């Protein structure tokens, strides 16, 4: 069965860093684009970052450009989201999903989703 599992969330102070992991089972994730989305309390789910399967191109929402980095480790069948210079507004449940990337990727482009991992940025 196709499954994605996020991990690495937690509580961090503003300006701090976290690395989220998205581990795949049931398929080889390097054949798919992997996107990260987040949903803050009372807010709509929004795109964060995405990495393509073909040429490794990456895309980021304007709100995280320069702070977040997405990468993949094919040997571990895992995609990572390195989050630096975290702000309180980054607080959300973060989800990874398998699908397709583009500069304005959206959740409807993705068919397989993880369960989410909570990130809280607070002093």
């Amino acid at each position: 069965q196709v499954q994605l599992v996020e991990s690495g969330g937690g509580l961090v102070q503003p300006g701090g860093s976290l690395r989220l992991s998205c581990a795949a089972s049931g398929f080889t994730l390097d054949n798919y684009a992997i996107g990260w989305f987040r949903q803050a309390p009372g807010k709509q789910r929004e795109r964060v970052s995405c990495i393509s399967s073909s040429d490794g191109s990456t895309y980021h929402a304007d709100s995280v450009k320069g702070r977040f980095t997405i990468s993949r480790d094919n040997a571990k069948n895992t995609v990572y989201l390195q989050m630096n210079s975290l702000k309180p507004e980054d607080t959300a449940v973060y989800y990874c999903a398998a699908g397709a990337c583009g500069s304005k990727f959206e959740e409807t482009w993705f068919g397989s989703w993880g369960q989410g991992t909570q990130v809280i940025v607070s002093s």
Side-chain angles (χ1 to χ4, degrees):
Q1 294 180 327
V2 175
Q3 187 173 7
L4 295 170
V5 178
E6 302 95 335
S7 63
L11 176 65
V12 64
Q13 295 185 13
S17 298
L18 283 174
R19 189 179 73 164
L20 305 183
S21 297
C22 176
S25 63
F27 67 100
T28 302
L29 64 74
D30 66 344
N31 292 324
Y32 301 88
I34 300 295
W36 286 94
F37 298 81
R38 68 187 183 187
Q39 187 166 24
K43 300 293 184 69
Q44 297 291 317
R45 187 155 54 188
E46 64 179 353
R47 63 177 175 267
V48 179
S49 301
C50 193
I51 184 166
S52 67
S53 63
S54 56
D55 61 1
S57 297
T58 60
Y59 306 87
H60 301 280
D62 289 342
S63 59
V64 306
K65 284 181 180 177
R67 300 189 297 121
F68 289 15
T69 302
I70 187 169
S71 62
R72 70 198 320 152
D73 185 337
N74 291 332
K76 297 183 181 296
N77 215 29
T78 299
V79 167
Y80 302 98
L81 183 67
Q82 179 67 46
M83 306 187 296
N84 298 325
S85 301
L86 283 164
K87 305 174 180 179
E89 51 262 45
D90 295 318
T91 296
V93 176
Y94 284 71
Y95 302 87
C96 69
C101 282
S103 61
K104 298 181 179 179
F105 67 97
E106 59 182 75
E107 62 186 83
T108 58
W109 297 8
F110 297 81
S112 298
W113 291 78
Q115 82 291 341
T117 186
Q118 176 75 64
V119 172
I120 300 175
V121 184
S122 176
S123 60

